[in-house]
Structure formats: structure tokens, C-alpha cells
Amino acid sequence: MEKHGKQTEAPHPGPYMPAGYAPQYPPAASQGPPEHAPYPVPQAGYQGPQAPYPGLQPGYPVPPGSYAGGGPSGFPVQNQPAYNHPGAPGGTPWMPAPPPPLNCPPGLEYLTQIDQILVHQQIELLEVLTGFETNNKYEIKNSLGQRVYFAVEDTDCCTRNCCGASRPFTLRILDNLGREVMTLERPLRCSSCCFPCCLQEIEIQAPPGVPVGYVTQTWHPCLPKFTLQNEKREDVLKVVGPCVVCSCCSDIDFELKSLDEESVVGKISKQWSGFVREAFTDADNFGIQFPLDLDVKMKAVMLGACFLIDFMFFERTGNEEQRSGVW
């Protein structure tokens, strides 16, 4: 996949992008500067592709009509310029897109090649200086430092500053073409363990509108515990955190375990970012580890669990840190 450092602009924004963000790209056939001549017509005798692409496999849900997929079968169009979000560093290289495997939601083929994800929240200068809560933005990278996705929170100003870290939110995850390949929806729920009937939850959709899994909080008097579920709401894995979630010069691990909690198969780590960053900002760094052969949909669900953990335990509003260590 070609990589370009400059952001390309299109005349019409996509329907799903937050206000102020760059539009999605048009299909590859309409690319090219207006001053250039149209693409030449294929020469006589050209046979076209040797075999048609087989398309989606039986059993995989068809994306909704509103999903702006790249190709006729919904998989990313290759040989497109790399998309740089306005808030993202321009010099970070993007991870090349691997061939989409069978039964893989479009846009998640990147996750099939990796067993580790790095999530870096960007520092918002306005938020640091004024304490005014802004939409969170995250870079999602592989272990080589190549950018895999860019995540943008889409929440209105009133909700952010009135509900704080407990706010409901929509998190849109974009690929290197600026297309929304995942949507994370967190409803407004109670943040106290005293109300076990209304605990935290987040839904992961890939592509947008098609649920692939859920992360639900499991009631426990002392430990932060979560259950990872598939699209049928069947329990698949558990996430268990420490009794006291306190970041003090060390990483904090939330272990990924089997359903019987006997085996540890991965983890979500809140990484220590240094005293200055930890003390004066809520921009956090996370590392996610999972088996390479884990179902790609569950890898996406783990990413959703990481964002839910960030908001529940490490997000701050104004100059006050949210209560995170005592359940």
C-alpha cells in the first residue's frame, strides 16, 4: 500500500465523520487531480481480471447500506493514499494492509497479523491549560510503531463536561483511508459497584452497525472484572484487574483469562508515562497482548475493553482525578 505524508482533501465529508474532521476518500476510479486528463481507455484485446473476487463468505452478516466500504465486496481498496487525521502526527508510517482472510469483517484484516496493540492517547493542549474536557483521540499502533488505526471520540460538549469520565460516548476507529471500520458505543451506566443491575458495558461494531462483540462489567466487591462476549452475547473470555488500580511509577495489568480464570492468555496494560504526563494530563498509554491466532473479532473486542478501562479508571475531568482504586 502506498504511503503519503500529506493529507488529501475531498469536496464532501462522509456521513459518519465528526465535525471538523477530514472526509473519506472517493473510490479509486475517481482519484486524481482535476487538471490531469482522464484515465485512458483499456486497449483492445484486454481480457480484464483473470477471475472475479469471491466476495463475502456464507454466514458473515452483510454490512448495512450506510457503510462506506472501499470495494464492491466491502473490503479495503488497495493502492490508495494514506489518510492522516488532522490531529495525528504526519510522520508516523501506516501498517500495510494484508490480504483479507475469510470471514473477516472489512477493515479488521490488520489485526490478523499482530499479537500486540499499542494505544497512545494524544495530549490536548486546550484541556491541559483550561481543564475543559475535549474529545479524546488515540493512535493505535503495532509493535513496530506503525499506525494501524486512529480513534476519535464523538461526544457533544455538554455530555463530556457534565458526565465526566462516566459519560456515554461513541468512539469511531478509522483506517489509513479515513474510513470508519469500527464503532464503539458506550451507554450511560452506573459507575458504582453498589448497583450491580446497571454496570458498565460497551458494544463493538465492525463494520459500523454490525455488532461483533460486547464487554460487560462483572460485579465484584473488590476486583475490576469484565466479561468479553461474542456477537451472540456468549461469554468467551474474562478480564481481571488488580484490587487497587493505582498508577505509581509502574504499569497496571488487567489480565486476559479463560472463562474459568485458570489460564492467563493475554493482558491489557496501563503503561507508566512519566510523572509529568501522569500528573498534568489524562493522556494515557496502553498495551494490549493476545494470542496471534485469537479470533479477529475478539481482538477487536479487546480493543473495546481497553477504551472502557481507560474511561473507567484513568480518565480525568478538570483537575480532579476520578475515583478508581476503591470498589
Side-chain angles (χ1 to χ4, degrees):
M1 176 177 294
E2 298 179 12
K3 308 173 188 174
H4 298 271
K6 297 183 179 180
Q7 175 181 341
T8 305
E9 297 181 355
H12 302 289
Y16 52 79
M17 295 291 290
Y21 292 106
Q24 59 179 337
Y25 285 93
S30 62
Q31 300 276 340
E35 65 270 12
H36 288 184
Y39 290 109
V41 178
Q43 300 297 322
Y46 175 69
Q47 300 299 324
Q50 297 301 315
Y53 188 79
L56 295 177
Q57 300 300 311
Y60 178 73
V62 179
S66 60
Y67 172 65
S73 61
F75 290 111
V77 175
Q78 302 297 323
N79 300 323
Q80 291 280 353
Y83 167 80
N84 280 322
H85 192 278
T92 306
W94 284 90
M95 175 182 173
L102 298 178
N103 301 319
C104 177
L108 299 193
E109 60 270 11
Y110 297 91
L111 299 180
T112 63
Q113 305 290 315
I114 57 179
D115 60 0
Q116 183 177 10
I117 300 176
L118 304 177
V119 180
H120 296 161
Q121 184 177 352
Q122 295 189 346
I123 297 176
E124 298 295 331
L125 186 59
L126 176 64
E127 188 172 319
V128 174
L129 297 178
T130 65
F132 186 81
E133 189 70 19
T134 60
N135 277 321
N136 290 352
K137 304 179 185 68
Y138 305 83
E139 277 191 293
I140 303 172
K141 302 178 181 179
N142 60 18
S143 58
L144 300 178
Q146 296 173 321
R147 193 184 305 157
V148 182
Y149 300 113
F150 193 85
V152 183
E153 180 188 356
D154 185 10
T155 308
D156 63 85
C157 177
C158 180
T159 301
R160 290 196 308 271
N161 290 278
C162 292
C163 298
S166 300
R167 63 185 180 266
F169 64 76
T170 298
L171 199 67
R172 307 188 187 278
I173 299 182
L174 316 176
D175 67 0
N176 64 335
L177 301 182
R179 298 172 309 180
E180 184 178 355
V181 297
M182 279 185 278
T183 302
L184 277 57
E185 296 279 357
R186 179 200 187 188
L188 181 62
R189 294 291 179 89
C190 181
S191 59
S192 172
C193 69
C194 298
F195 300 93
C197 60
C198 191
L199 297 177
Q200 295 293 316
E201 179 179 299
I202 190 168
E203 178 183 85
I204 296 86
Q205 304 171 4
V210 180
V212 295
Y214 303 84
V215 180
T216 60
Q217 183 183 0
T218 303
W219 185 87
H220 193 279
C222 301
L223 298 176
K225 301 182 72 173
F226 303 89
T227 301
L228 275 56
Q229 301 174 328
N230 60 18
E231 65 272 20
K232 299 178 181 179
R233 285 195 173 271
E234 299 170 338
D235 296 350
V236 179
L237 294 167
K238 297 278 189 178
V239 173
V240 182
C243 181
V244 178
V245 184
C246 179
S247 179
C248 184
C249 302
S250 63
D251 295 349
I252 304 173
D253 293 337
F254 292 76
E255 295 181 332
L256 178 67
K257 296 185 176 183
S258 57
L259 286 179
D260 58 9
E261 300 187 18
E262 295 294 329
S263 303
V264 177
V265 297
K267 64 180 179 179
I268 299 173
S269 298
K270 163 63 174 66
Q271 299 172 344
W272 172 254
S273 304
F275 176 77
V276 174
R277 187 181 180 114
E278 296 283 344
F280 297 101
T281 76
D282 62 356
D284 301 312
N285 294 331
F286 289 86
I288 307 175
Q289 297 178 15
F290 40 70
L292 182 62
D293 59 351
L294 182 67
D295 181 10
V296 67
K297 295 179 182 180
M298 295 312 300
K299 292 182 180 181
V301 173
M302 280 200 67
L303 184 59
C306 177
F307 287 117
L308 181 60
I309 289 172
D310 180 30
F311 273 83
M312 288 182 62
F313 301 105
F314 306 106
E315 181 75 4
R316 298 195 292 180
T317 56
N319 295 320
E320 293 184 0
E321 186 170 2
Q322 295 295 312
R323 179 177 62 88
S324 60
V326 181
W327 279 58

